Amino acid sequence: MPDRIPAVLILGTRGIPAAHGGFETFAERFARYLAVRGWCVGVYCQREVKRVGTRISSRVWNGIELITVEVGLKGPAATLAFDAFCAWDAARRGGVCLVLGYNGAAFLPYLRASGGRILTNMDGIEWRRPKWSRPIRAYFYVSEWIAAWSSHRLVADHPAIADHLATRRPRRAITTIPYGGDPPSDEIAPPPLGLEAGRYLVSIARIEPDNNILTIVEAFSRRPRGVRLVVLGTMCVHNRYHRAVEEAASPEVLFPGPIYEPDQVQALRIHALAYLHGHSVGGTNPSLVEALWAGNAVIAHANPFNRGTAGDAQFYFKDVDSCAVAIEQVLDEAEAVAHARAAARRRAEDFRWGDVLAAYEDEVRRVGGYPPAERVKVPFAEPIGATAGASG
């Protein structure tokens, strides 16, 4: 094979610098990692405008081409239009297309037919989320199949996701690479919001039924606890589920809304007595990985995704009763909490960004037909502050 500069295009996020969540954080980290290693890297970025001026433009940022697509729409229609123009533009550029999620899977057959080499991170099992209406769930179900068969290879971020994808494609087409995390910085700020270290529990998640926020709040609020429960995430008075969560809360529950300052989110984790994680659908959740790196004792919904990520040393629940029991264990059993904290730190070693990014580079090289990479430690940006106070 003649020598050529390896090239990758990253599709499926709203863009970088990261400001929205897990996929954007990964896209920024991976793009910067590859740029340092001599790759030609492009990342598609969505810009919603009242009137489209220049449909597609680009600029260079930290050695990465930011390909901005202007969309004169709002909401889901804007996302679909963005995905369509990204696929159209990527088909003309060449290189490997790393697609994050399958929301825009309808355009992948065109991309592949145009010669695109496609590696898709299939994310969670979106069509199982109860928050979606039946038509939307049907759309995601079909999109999952389209993405599975339009992509040259699939990435699962959790063994349970890989098992699910194996019902769509042969296992030889699937690789498992988890989400990454970082050790906490040496300088930790005091707890925000006037909280006292070790005197509160924290939940960081979107306030949605499949994240079991109502279950957590009801379990905590059954009786006075002598500590606070901090529930980060956007609350909307017009949302029926949000109202139910708020009505179920005791005076010891605090709803500060989302927090976007990384140092405050890190301090909130580090100083918490335990982290509550109610996610029931998905793979390796970024917020749970960050809790492990923070050395949190974890109270998590009992499902294969969470158990496979956090391990057996943590506390698990299935309903309000078992969640209340887990909370009482954390409040009453200091030795069990210390054991869970130590186990979390050990478990976090399985989710180092360096290993995750190197594994992704190997897969992109495989899909693109590039020669294997030399494994070296590459200096790149310090932890990126993109995780908002509500994740997954």
Side-chain angles (χ1 to χ4, degrees), residues 144-189:
E144 181 184 80
W145 278 97
I146 294 173
W149 282 101
S150 300
S151 306
H152 292 84
R153 283 184 63 76
L154 309 177
V155 177
D157 69 5
H158 191 285
I161 295 293
D163 291 341
H164 170 72
L165 294 178
T167 66
R168 274 67 174 140
R169 285 285 296 277
R171 283 193 180 271
R172 64 179 179 274
I174 303 164
T175 188
T176 302
I177 308 174
Y179 195 81
D182 292 296
S185 62
D186 294 331
E187 296 182 6
I188 304 298

Side-chain angles (χ1 to χ4, degrees), residues 47-281:
R47 179 186 294 163
E48 293 184 8
V49 296
K50 290 184 178 180
R51 178 177 296 177
V52 175
T54 303
R55 174 69 72 183
I56 298 176
S57 61
S58 68
R59 65 184 177 91
V60 176
W61 175 81
N62 285 334
I64 303 159
E65 183 182 7
L66 303 186
I67 307 164
T68 299
V69 178
E70 291 186 357
V71 180
L73 300 168
K74 297 289 185 181
T79 300
L80 282 174
F82 172 65
D83 290 336
F85 283 111
C86 289
W88 174 80
D89 188 71
R92 301 184 301 115
R93 289 175 176 260
V96 177
C97 296
L98 173 58
V99 182
L100 303 179
Y102 54 75
N103 288 5
F107 310 109
L108 295 186
Y110 164 78
L111 182 55
R112 180 158 181 167
S114 301
R117 303 292 297 178
I118 304 171
L119 173 68
T120 300
N121 178 314
M122 295 293 285
D123 199 14
I125 309 174
E126 195 69 21
W127 53 268
R128 286 186 182 173
R129 294 185 186 273
K131 69 176 181 178
W132 300 122
S133 65
R134 286 187 177 181
I136 294 176
R137 292 174 73 177
Y139 171 81
F140 283 132
Y141 181 82
V142 173
S143 295
E144 181 184 80
W145 278 97
I146 294 173
W149 282 101
S150 300
S151 306
H152 292 84
R153 283 184 63 76
L154 309 177
V155 177
D157 69 5
H158 191 285
I161 295 293
D163 291 341
H164 170 72
L165 294 178
T167 66
R168 274 67 174 140
R169 285 285 296 277
R171 283 193 180 271
R172 64 179 179 274
I174 303 164
T175 188
T176 302
I177 308 174
Y179 195 81
D182 292 296
S185 62
D186 294 331
E187 296 182 6
I188 304 298
L193 307 172
L195 296 163
E196 181 182 349
R199 300 295 301 168
Y200 65 91
L201 312 177
V202 64
S203 165
I204 303 176
R206 293 190 181 94
I207 314 299
E208 296 174 352
D210 48 290
N211 289 341
N212 285 289
I213 306 302
L214 181 57
T215 299
I216 290 169
V217 170
E218 287 181 342
F220 179 86
S221 301
R222 280 189 165 182
R223 64 179 180 82
R225 301 292 184 181
V227 298
R228 304 299 299 271
L229 169 62
V230 183
V231 179
L232 263 67
T234 300
M235 296 282 284
C236 177
V237 67
H238 302 296
N239 184 296
R240 181 181 302 177
Y241 186 77
H242 293 183
R243 290 200 306 270
V245 169
E246 195 167 26
E247 290 168 1
S250 74
E252 293 177 310
V253 180
L254 176 63
F255 297 102
I259 295 178
Y260 295 100
E261 293 75 16
D263 58 339
Q264 289 193 34
V265 176
Q266 183 182 67
L268 196 63
R269 293 184 187 278
I270 292 290
H271 296 297
L273 178 61
Y275 165 73
L276 290 110
H277 186 78
H279 297 62
S280 59
V281 178

Side-chain angles (χ1 to χ4, degrees), residues 350-369:
D350 294 335
F351 305 98
R352 284 194 173 273
W353 270 120
D355 297 334
V356 169
L357 300 179
Y360 266 95
E361 182 183 8
D362 287 346
E363 285 299 322
V364 175
R365 285 181 175 275
R366 179 176 180 177
V367 170

